[in-house]
Amino acid sequence: MNKKSTKSGLFSTLIGKKMLMGITGLFLITFLMVHCGINMLIFANDGGVLFNKGAEFMGTNPLIRIMEIVLFLGIIAHIVDALVLTLANKKSRSVKYAHEKPNANSKWYSRWMGLLGTLILMFLIMHLNHFWIVTRFTDHIAHSELDKLPGQETMFEEMKEIFENPLIVLLYVASMVSLAYHLLHGFQSAFQTMGWNHPKYTPAIKKTGFWFSVIISVLFAIMPIAMHLGIIK
Amino acid sequence: MKFNLKIWRQKNAQVAGKMVDYVIDNINADMSFLEMMDVLNEELIRKGDEPVAFDHDCREGICGMCSMHINGRPHGPLRGTTTCQLYMRNFTDGETIYIEPFRADAFPIIRDLAVDRSAFDRIMQVGGFISVNTGQVQDANNIPVNKADADLAMDAASCIGCGACVAACKNASASLFVSAKISQYALLPQGRIEAKERVLAMVNQMDDEGFGSCTNTGACEAECPKGISLTNIARMNREYYSASIS
């Protein structure tokens, strides 16, 4: 074996780029867990006291603030890497089949990850616009009921206000369906890409991936619905 | 049996091809798919038309030469079956059958349904072997091999290199083929010696040939006539990561 490989560096090959997809994907999954955990404080149904405390912690803790930057980098890397890979994949078959039966050998959501991801990105832009931009770039959001200045709202009140609109609630819920399917493939696929496939553990990973995708999406979807219906006061 | 065939006709890689309709009658249900193609070609030759070019060799499912994308799936509708072992009884009388070549830019069309799969050969040439100095024949059991590993290596080695994985993959990725070849050596002590150089060279060559990346849809595993497992792709990735960072 005397032929030296033409490229060097882990990320120079498609497999290396896939590894970046896997790592960033798993990182974004950990973010979802934290985000969902904090949001679930609304279910304390205490007028948002606990939730506002959680929101204040997330907004002021220096470690979280650093992780916020890492999170944005992670999302951007996940998107850019996906675009690079998709372009390479599209180039690999320029003449399409006249007749195809893709459902005979694979799940639709495993083939439509790019579309599902784009839907999630569109949701993210709307979602950041609703909450993150208001908190970071305006002084509209007060940390708690106590230090609220005139014209300010707490994070909890902002949420209640946004979710008064049924169309927004519908968009949030629909986006969580996209998220569920994206995760349904992505969770176990990330493990496979990372090479973590083992007869002993892979069935458990797949099961965990399925339930994680369902539970986290349902939890996220329940929040705007419950707020809209006034179940959470 | 009677069939309406829609077959891809293309003179060579330079000119564009198109689907052409043929009607074929009096086909015996126990003919293989390739025999049906032979009958069609006999008819075409008698009529003075060009016969349909298609690849075939052993016709017993082990050479990996036959290909064809039949009714939307590589090697046709049956699982774990090569086109040569597909029989006309697996179709219904009067059915319309779409017959296309394996499509991937890395597999340029030679003519009609015959594609050039030498990209696979070039991947093998950069690392799909072990370097053994010739000399006295060694005792077969000189190097102990774990039975479970030997079985997995044998499973991986059952890949016949037909390219159905590439044909089935929405990205035309060769990951299943390359990973099977990497695995059959990586699992055995004789193959470990050059494992690092092998995986780097073969993965690079796979990219250079223009195959897409693996998105784990599992289409390749489902369509593989030899049932090569996706676990091989995970092994290839593991081997590749550890080789490239060490």
Side-chain angles (χ1 to χ4, degrees), chain A residues 140-160:
Chain A
H140 183 64
I141 303 295
H143 284 320
S144 69
E145 203 66 50
L146 288 174
D147 43 34
K148 205 161 81 174
L149 297 169
Q152 278 195 322
E153 281 184 309
T154 63
M155 200 60 179
F156 186 76
E157 285 167 332
E158 174 75 6
M159 246 173 118
K160 291 222 77 164

Side-chain angles (χ1 to χ4, degrees), chain A residues 23 43 59 73 85 97 115 120 125 133 139 197 204 213:
Chain A
I23 295 173
F43 294 122
L73 293 176
L85 283 165
Y97 287 108
L115 176 76
I120 295 168
I125 293 167
I133 288 176
D139 47 11
N197 185 316
S213 315

Side-chain angles (χ1 to χ4, degrees), chain A:
Chain A
M1 222 156 294
N2 41 25
K3 188 174 169 176
K4 270 263 162 258
S5 61
T6 47
K7 285 175 278 184
S8 60
L10 182 54
F11 298 116
S12 61
T13 59
L14 293 176
I15 293 184
K17 292 186 176 77
K18 278 296 295 183
M19 179 179 155
L20 185 62
M21 268 330 262
I23 295 173
T24 50
L26 290 173
F27 169 62
L28 295 177
I29 282 172
T30 62
F31 154 74
L32 285 178
M33 292 193 264
V34 175
H35 187 7
C36 192
I38 297 283
N39 279 23
M40 273 170 47
L41 297 176
I42 64 166
F43 294 122
N45 220 350
D46 55 358
V49 178
L50 200 58
F51 172 75
N52 284 335
K53 272 192 191 143
E56 185 190 355
F57 171 79
M58 295 306 282
T60 52
N61 184 288
L63 189 69
I64 302 287
R65 295 304 302 274
I66 293 167
M67 284 311 289
E68 188 177 352
I69 299 164
V70 180
L71 174 63
F72 272 100
L73 293 176
I75 293 172
I76 292 164
H78 197 71
I79 294 169
V80 173
D81 199 28
L83 288 175
V84 171
L85 283 165
T86 306
L87 285 177
N89 292 342
K90 290 265 173 259
K91 269 209 309 219
S92 65
R93 180 175 291 135
S94 42
V95 181
K96 305 273 171 265
Y97 287 108
H99 185 70
E100 268 188 299
K101 265 196 197 136
N103 288 322
N105 53 37
S106 59
K107 298 264 193 291
W108 70 268
Y109 51 83
S110 74
R111 299 190 305 269
W112 291 98
M113 288 295 277
L115 176 76
L116 292 167
T118 309
L119 291 174
I120 295 168
L121 176 64
M122 281 157 63
F123 163 77
L124 260 183
I125 293 167
M126 171 178 76
H127 182 53
L128 287 176
N129 208 29
H130 280 157
F131 298 106
W132 185 76
I133 288 176
V134 190
T135 355
R136 285 283 170 273
F137 301 105
T138 70
D139 47 11
H140 183 64
I141 303 295
H143 284 320
S144 69
E145 203 66 50
L146 288 174
D147 43 34
K148 205 161 81 174
L149 297 169
Q152 278 195 322
E153 281 184 309
T154 63
M155 200 60 179
F156 186 76
E157 285 167 332
E158 174 75 6
M159 246 173 118
K160 291 222 77 164
E161 199 181 300
I162 298 268
F163 294 136
E164 269 169 25
N165 185 342
L167 185 69
I168 288 179
V169 174
L170 195 72
L171 279 174
Y172 269 65
V173 172
S175 302
M176 289 310 106
V177 176
S178 304
L179 179 70
Y181 279 109
H182 196 76
L183 287 172
L184 214 49
H185 178 70
F187 189 102
Q188 54 87 25
S189 174
F191 282 85
Q192 163 79 7
T193 297
M194 300 303 293
W196 298 326
N197 185 316
H198 190 280
K200 219 185 247 174
Y201 305 110
T202 299
I205 290 170
K206 287 192 172 169
K207 222 173 254 173
T208 311
F210 173 80
W211 286 112
F212 175 81
S213 315
V214 172
I215 292 170
I216 204 129
S217 311
V218 167
L219 282 175
F220 272 130
I222 284 175
M223 292 167 194
I225 296 174
M227 286 219 140
H228 180 75
L229 298 177
I231 298 167
I232 288 164
K233 294 188 182 79

